[in-house]
Amino acid sequence: MNERLKLLRKTLKLSQDAFAERIGMKGSSISLLESGGRNITEQVIKSICREFNVDYIWLTTGDGEMFIDTDDDFIERIDRIMVGEDDARKNLFKALLDASDEDIAAFQRIIDLFASKKD
């Protein structure tokens, strides 16, 4: 679990101090947790999962995906895009709202094509 904690922090691009601050700890404590010098308590695990939308099972066992995607997360991200300055992303969302079922099916084929290229 110590290695997953470090991987999570690096994935989030946070220093030990910044990561620790978000969950009410000190950077030196995170250093001890990552190095195995201290065991990660259940309370710390729950704080990490809650603050960073981390999957509890992934953090504790390594199974599954690192992050949990909820509808609230998607809505928040869409809201940020719609108030931002990226017109291409805004226009994409607007176009999808008016798309027909056939358009959506075609778009899904494009997504599937790109997803298969990543593997």
Side-chain angles (χ1 to χ4, degrees):
M1 189 168 14
N2 309 76
E3 291 177 15
R4 286 188 296 281
L5 177 62
K6 186 173 186 175
L7 175 62
L8 169 65
R9 181 180 60 77
K10 289 189 175 284
T11 299
L12 294 169
K13 297 181 176 139
L14 294 173
S15 67
Q16 289 177 336
D17 289 330
F19 186 90
E21 185 178 320
R22 298 261 308 261
I23 59 171
M25 296 180 75
K26 294 185 179 190
S28 58
S29 297
I30 297 301
S31 176
L32 286 170
L33 294 175
E34 288 181 354
S35 68
R38 184 184 293 168
N39 290 328
I40 303 173
T41 66
E42 186 68 18
Q43 180 181 358
V44 170
I45 293 169
K46 288 180 179 178
S47 294
I48 291 168
C49 291
R50 181 178 53 252
E51 179 64 27
F52 300 109
N53 290 325
V54 172
D55 183 85
Y56 179 88
I57 300 297
W58 176 83
L59 185 56
T60 57
T61 69
D63 292 335
E65 299 295 322
M66 185 182 293
F67 297 104
I68 297 172
D69 286 326
T70 65
D71 287 344
D72 290 342
D73 296 332
F74 289 126
I75 291 168
E76 181 181 329
R77 290 174 70 189
I78 291 169
D79 285 346
R80 281 188 296 219
I81 289 169
M82 295 311 287
V83 298
E85 297 180 13
D86 189 340
D87 286 338
R89 290 180 192 269
K90 287 181 195 178
N91 291 336
L92 181 61
F93 282 114
K94 290 175 185 176
L96 289 173
L97 289 173
D98 295 326
S100 68
D101 290 344
E102 289 176 358
D103 293 337
I104 296 294
F107 190 64
Q108 184 62 53
R109 286 191 298 276
I110 293 169
I111 292 170
D112 293 343
L113 177 67
F114 282 106
S116 68
K117 302 256 186 216
K118 288 176 95 176
D119 298 334

